[in-house]
Amino acid sequence: MGGTSTGEDPMKTLLSLALAAVTLAAGPAAAENWHKFSYSGTTAYLADVDSIGVDGDVTAIRAAKVPLAGAAGDYSHSADLFTFRCAARQVRSILSIDYGADGNETDRFDDAEAPWDGLIRDSYLDFLKAIACDGERSSEGSWPSIAAFVDSSRR
């Protein structure tokens, strides 16, 4: 593939994204600060504001989809590493990890070359962009881990 129209250095971007992927994979060992920013009838969407990283015009953030229903102690969820081109209102997911009931990784899909997509206004990704790019924070509370969120939500 050739260069991009944004003038970003592909090798620098891949290196930054690889470092971000390591952060996502590190899971509980890394500092976390999960904010619930959206939800549906079945799923809570959380953003780890401590994972936000910026490299040039690319901003990365971890986000998780956590089922609202389930047994106490069932830590099943999925986590994605999203990157944004904030000014261009573009997003892509470069890493997705599924976690089982015990909280351990069960599956992973990574695509550092994923295409950039435009953001749909008022979608959950648009809300995530506001957290990653604009410094907005949720008033829904925050948790130091996904397990802490699950434990406080399922009693």
Side-chain angles (χ1 to χ4, degrees):
M1 294 189 161
T4 63
S5 60
T6 62
E8 45 182 59
D9 178 349
M11 291 307 289
K12 182 177 179 188
T13 299
L14 286 176
L15 176 60
S16 296
L17 297 178
L19 291 173
V22 168
T23 300
L24 177 62
E32 298 176 346
N33 187 4
W34 292 96
H35 288 240
K36 184 169 78 172
F37 67 94
S38 187
Y39 59 91
S40 69
T42 60
T43 306
Y45 299 88
L46 292 90
D48 178 10
V49 299
D50 283 355
S51 72
I52 297 171
V54 178
D55 183 22
D57 70 340
V58 176
T59 300
I61 187 170
R62 293 190 314 162
K65 291 180 265 189
V66 183
L68 291 173
D74 178 348
Y75 302 113
S76 302
H77 69 283
S78 63
D80 293 280
L81 179 63
F82 289 99
T83 55
F84 291 90
R85 288 181 179 154
C86 299
R89 294 191 44 79
Q90 294 177 320
V91 63
R92 65 182 178 177
S93 174
I94 61 168
L95 179 64
S96 183
I97 300 176
D98 292 330
Y99 295 90
D102 61 0
N104 289 318
E105 181 178 326
T106 60
D107 200 11
R108 125 183 338 240
F109 174 78
D110 57 280
D111 187 2
E113 297 297 320
W116 292 96
D117 295 316
L119 283 169
I120 298 170
R121 293 222 183 262
D122 296 326
S123 67
Y124 89 96
L125 288 174
D126 196 31
F127 296 137
L128 184 60
K129 180 242 177 227
I131 293 168
C133 300
D134 305 328
E136 292 189 20
R137 296 295 179 260
S138 170
S139 61
E140 297 276 331
S142 65
W143 295 265
S145 66
I146 295 296
F149 171 78
V150 169
D151 290 343
S152 72
S153 301
R154 299 182 193 155
R155 295 183 189 263

